[in-house]
Amino acid sequence: EQEGGAGTNSAGVLAEMFVPLAKEKRRNREQMNLELKKQFEYMSKFPLPLRMPKYAELTAHKRGFSLTFRDDTWDGSVLDAFCKISVTKSLLGHVSVTKQHGQSRGIRSIVDVGSSKPNGRGQIDTSRPRVIVASISAEGGQQGIMIGDVVSHINGSQFYGSASDLVQ
């Protein structure tokens, strides 16, 4: 009986220790879920463009850059900043660029601010050529470069050339 009583007593002590820990863990999980929900709601109302400006520094090797580039055209709209650009290459070597525009309510409200009419594109400039990254190497990926990034500056100077200019 003493053993059974001691076992029951130690089980009670363990239960007293673990119940508050479990409650605290549950409260922490609920708090974390609430924080994530608030963050999601904020990002829905105020989305960031997919291609945020960034600075990356790469050294050209004797064999050239560890990137490939593709000519593209910016349509002059704000909506373009919320566009996912995919670059694919077929087995026959044909390269294609696909643009998928973001469609959330937050993006729509940001774009409409720059639009003269509802559901416009937020036209802020005229169309003009640009160069995008078509493929990257491990070095470029480590620097944060992504496929679809727009090349805007080279060696600190604004870049207005074409993809072939970057290869030279």
Side-chain angles (χ1 to χ4, degrees):
E1 274 182 38
Q2 223 173 8
E3 284 181 24
T8 305
N9 189 21
S10 64
V13 170
L14 286 174
E16 287 177 18
M17 289 174 34
F18 286 114
V19 168
L21 290 174
K23 285 182 180 178
E24 183 179 343
K25 189 175 181 180
R26 190 176 325 117
R27 271 194 306 271
N28 288 342
R29 188 174 35 244
E30 288 170 356
Q31 181 67 30
M32 187 173 72
N33 287 339
L34 183 62
E35 294 288 330
L36 287 172
K37 182 179 177 185
K38 285 180 182 179
Q39 185 179 16
F40 178 76
E41 288 172 356
Y42 180 85
M43 292 303 292
S44 295
K45 288 181 181 178
F46 309 104
L48 294 173
L50 292 172
R51 292 183 315 278
M52 292 297 293
K54 65 182 142 217
Y55 169 82
E57 188 172 313
L58 295 175
T59 303
H61 302 288
K62 288 181 181 175
R63 61 187 184 283
F65 282 109
S66 51
L67 307 168
T68 60
F69 303 98
R70 173 101 175 143
D71 289 323
D72 188 51
T73 302
W74 175 49
D75 65 5
S77 73
V78 174
L79 185 60
D80 186 78
F82 294 96
C83 177
K84 178 181 179 186
I85 297 177
S86 301
V87 181
T88 56
K89 188 173 184 178
S90 72
L91 293 174
L92 300 174
H94 176 19
V95 177
S96 63
V97 176
T98 307
K99 298 177 185 178
Q100 181 181 356
H101 296 287
Q103 298 296 328
S104 77
R105 189 177 74 232
I107 291 172
R108 187 77 262 153
S109 64
I110 289 171
V111 171
D112 282 344
V113 167
S115 297
S116 58
K117 58 185 177 190
N119 293 323
R121 299 179 61 80
Q123 210 66 29
I124 58 173
D125 205 346
T126 57
S127 295
R128 66 172 153 226
R130 66 180 177 187
V131 175
I132 61 172
V133 175
S135 68
I136 59 171
S137 66
E139 179 189 6
Q142 289 170 350
Q143 293 293 328
I145 297 172
M146 296 172 48
I147 292 174
D149 280 353
V150 177
V151 178
S152 64
H153 289 74
I154 300 290
N155 294 330
S157 299
Q158 196 160 6
F159 175 74
Y160 293 105
S162 66
S164 61
D165 295 337
L166 290 173
V167 176
Q168 296 174 354

